[in-house]
Amino acid sequence: MSEPRPSDRHDASESDDTFAEIVDEATQRDPDLAVIEAGSRTLRTASGPVPDDEVPARPADPEVDKALRAVEQELAGRWGETKLEPSVARIAALMDVLGEPQHAYPSIHITGTNGKTSTARMIEALLGAFDLRTGRYTSPHVQSITERISLDGSPMDPERFIETYQDIKPYVEMVDAQQPYRLSFFEVLTGMAYAAFADAPVDVAVVEVGMGGSWDATNVIDASVAVVTPISLDHTDRLGTTPAEIAGEKAGVIKQDATVILAQQPVDAAQVMLKKAVEVDATVAREGMEFGIVSREIAVGGQLLTLRGLGGEYEEIFLPLYGAHQAHNAAVALSAVEAFFGIGAEQPGSLDHDTIRRAFASVRSPGRLEVVRSSPTVVLDAAHNPAGARATADGLSEAFGFSRLIGVVGASDDKDVRGLLEAFEPIFAEVVITQNSTARAMNADALAAIAVEVFGGDRVQVEPRLDDALEAAITLAEEENEYAGAGVLVTGSVITVGEARLLLGRH
């Protein structure tokens, strides 16, 4: 039996008013802070067992929640992550007045186009399994801003997040007064992360770039290991219009005498990376040459891998994530950790195989082919560019085998939405076009016009409100009956996925 529809549980006009009020409030905030909170009050369509959540909810203590909201509001008053003045001058000035906290620990720096966050989570799990205290800095967040800064594998608790902000706030204001432009939202968060890691203190920091590399705010560290995940076209207005141009920006994370872990790349991008490595005397390990995937097979809840690292083969690794792209991320992560420990260069042999297995088995990556409901199965994936969408489509087809798949797509206005939709066209029986609550969201009607050109009018439905879109997609999936094997994929944007996660009760 299907769950009751939302309209059966709430007064419709009251629910609409509440939702509209909260969405209106959210759209006034910074796009990357605008996680819709209407979900817990307007839609409860979740049924069936789902895994334990990995994403923090709002603080239970009203006073802590109020203080965290105040911090979010102050950060929202700064330049958002889509407005940039390419320079590390401001973050360097902040690091100077803070006493250079980013140099208090070794680090692994991750750039690329797709797979950065999942790879960072894997690296963090591997390092933690070897009893190292880790700090992880990733972006954007799925639901809570505190996800961006993790200590020992867990998001920073709200109280500590607030305390860290208050600690560095006077220094931020000092730098603001000295610079032509105030520190941005991302720059302040980067300063918070580096300060928190030094204060912990951590044994190693795992740092994901926000955008690019050379002028990214994170690039004030001197990482001994630089990781480059697959490069494809994204943020072309800021990074370049070819893989080679984008690689030129991202190569900025490669520092003197570092080790570079290079995932499979387009030829022109790989050439740029190799040239930069030669210039700074960095050592390069290439996927498919020095490391890679020996074998992979589908397993219940993920996949079983044999990986070849810098120190030899590691067999029978269970990875509880779906898709070939995650297997490639695992190979990259393993080699990055080996390089950090000096395996393959300074010392022979390999890392302890049982420890590696335990670490990979513990990995979670919210919003990446994540199942959040059953009957029908609803999967969330944050693919937001054509390359990511193709990887998601392949992984979904391989792991799930739906008889009929309904898409829910809400994208950002600055993305290659046609390429995104074309990547999903072969696997979607129908698509429900929607939009998330932020100012960056592409208008649902404009996105639908492109979707009609890609899918044809009879396969496209438009529901501007995300809760309505989810309900419509679940209804379409249920039309085949309970046992038909239909599913729903929600995708197009990290923000859309985060909001859907709340609407489906994952908070």
Side-chain angles (χ1 to χ4, degrees), residues 6 10-21 38 41-43 465 467:
H10 305 283
D11 178 82
S13 61
E14 178 183 347
S15 185
D16 287 350
D17 290 345
T18 302
F19 188 93
E21 177 184 341
R41 286 167 272 176
T42 61
L43 185 65
R465 266 179 44 168
D467 61 337

Side-chain angles (χ1 to χ4, degrees), residues 152-213:
D152 294 322
S154 298
M156 184 183 287
D157 63 65
E159 293 88 350
R160 191 165 189 171
F161 187 92
I162 295 162
E163 181 182 355
T164 300
Y165 175 75
Q166 296 297 341
D167 284 347
I168 76 164
K169 182 178 177 179
Y171 301 97
V172 168
E173 292 172 344
M174 184 187 308
V175 173
D176 284 344
Q178 297 170 349
Q179 297 291 323
Y181 303 101
R182 292 202 312 157
L183 287 153
S184 70
F185 165 85
F186 186 73
E187 287 168 334
V188 174
L189 276 174
T190 302
M192 289 174 60
Y194 289 161
F197 296 162
D199 184 61
V202 302
D203 297 313
V204 54
V206 183
V207 178
E208 173 190 336
V209 303
M211 187 185 300

Side-chain angles (χ1 to χ4, degrees), residues 120-144:
R121 285 178 170 272
M122 293 179 196
I123 291 172
E124 173 188 53
L126 289 165
L127 293 168
F130 286 98
D131 297 324
L132 293 183
R133 188 165 202 203
T134 58
R136 173 172 54 84
Y137 181 52
T138 53
S139 62
H141 55 274
V142 177
Q143 286 178 203
S144 171

Side-chain angles (χ1 to χ4, degrees), residues 30-320:
D30 182 88
D32 293 291
L33 294 176
V35 177
I36 192 170
E37 291 146 9
S40 60
R41 286 167 272 176
T42 61
L43 185 65
R44 278 293 176 273
T45 56
S47 70
V50 293
D52 292 337
D53 206 353
E54 296 285 321
V55 176
R58 296 297 311 185
D61 186 326
E63 291 303 314
V64 175
D65 187 52
K66 180 179 178 181
L68 181 59
R69 289 180 188 278
V71 171
E72 290 173 337
Q73 286 297 108
E74 288 190 25
L75 289 169
R78 295 179 175 273
W79 277 1
E81 287 166 294
T82 58
K83 186 173 182 179
L84 303 169
E85 193 278 315
S87 168
V88 294
R90 291 175 301 281
I91 188 67
L94 180 60
M95 293 297 99
D96 181 52
V97 297
L98 288 175
E100 306 293 348
Q102 79 281 17
H103 297 318
Y105 37 81
S107 54
I108 297 174
H109 207 176
I110 306 171
T111 190
T113 302
N114 292 309
K116 295 188 295 296
T117 298
S118 292
T119 302
R121 285 178 170 272
M122 293 179 196
I123 291 172
E124 173 188 53
L126 289 165
L127 293 168
F130 286 98
D131 297 324
L132 293 183
R133 188 165 202 203
T134 58
R136 173 172 54 84
Y137 181 52
T138 53
S139 62
H141 55 274
V142 177
Q143 286 178 203
S144 171
I145 194 172
T146 60
E147 296 167 41
R148 294 180 178 234
I149 306 174
S150 289
L151 295 169
D152 294 322
S154 298
M156 184 183 287
D157 63 65
E159 293 88 350
R160 191 165 189 171
F161 187 92
I162 295 162
E163 181 182 355
T164 300
Y165 175 75
Q166 296 297 341
D167 284 347
I168 76 164
K169 182 178 177 179
Y171 301 97
V172 168
E173 292 172 344
M174 184 187 308
V175 173
D176 284 344
Q178 297 170 349
Q179 297 291 323
Y181 303 101
R182 292 202 312 157
L183 287 153
S184 70
F185 165 85
F186 186 73
E187 287 168 334
V188 174
L189 276 174
T190 302
M192 289 174 60
Y194 289 161
F197 296 162
D199 184 61
V202 302
D203 297 313
V204 54
V206 183
V207 178
E208 173 190 336
V209 303
M211 187 185 300
S214 297
W215 41 259
D216 188 75
T218 63
N219 202 30
V220 288
I221 55 175
D222 292 317
S224 61
V225 178
V227 175
V228 187
T229 66
I231 291 173
S232 60
L233 300 183
D234 199 7
H235 301 295
T236 53
D237 56 331
R238 298 176 178 88
L239 302 180
T241 57
T242 68
E245 290 178 348
I246 293 172
E249 288 295 336
K250 294 182 182 293
V253 305
I254 301 174
K255 303 300 172 59
Q256 189 75 31
D257 300 322
T259 299
V260 183
I261 305 299
L262 195 61
Q264 291 180 347
Q265 303 290 346
V267 173
D268 55 347
Q271 290 173 339
V272 171
M273 290 291 173
L274 293 171
K275 181 181 178 182
K276 177 59 182 288
V278 170
E279 290 173 355
V280 298
D281 293 322
T283 301
V284 179
R286 299 155 294 176
E287 185 181 5
M289 301 289 287
E290 287 77 21
F291 70 93
I293 301 169
V294 176
S295 67
R296 60 179 294 267
E297 57 184 273
I298 306 305
V300 176
Q303 50 194 309
L304 193 65
L305 309 174
T306 295
L307 301 178
R308 178 165 54 84
L310 305 180
E313 288 192 4
Y314 299 78
E315 299 177 339
E316 297 182 349
I317 293 173
F318 174 68
L319 180 67

Side-chain angles (χ1 to χ4, degrees), residues 341-352:
F341 285 122
I343 300 294
E346 299 171 13
Q347 62 186 70
S350 59
L351 298 174
D352 181 74

Side-chain angles (χ1 to χ4, degrees), residues 367-373 376-383 388-397 400 402 404-410 420 423-425 427-434 466 469-470 473-474 477 486-493 496-497 500 504:
R368 278 74 178 176
L369 284 178
E370 179 188 20
V371 177
V372 293
R373 171 196 157 126
T377 300
V378 177
V379 182
L380 306 180
D381 192 88
R390 288 190 291 270
T392 295
D394 290 345
L396 198 74
S397 299
F400 292 89
F402 291 119
R404 182 166 176 263
L405 183 64
I406 310 301
V408 176
V409 180
L420 180 89
F424 286 123
E425 190 278 332
I427 68 167
F428 285 167
E430 297 181 60
V431 61
V432 182
I433 298 299
T434 189
L466 183 55
L470 292 171
I474 289 169
V488 175
L489 173 67
V490 184
T491 189
S493 162
T496 300
V497 163
L504 291 163

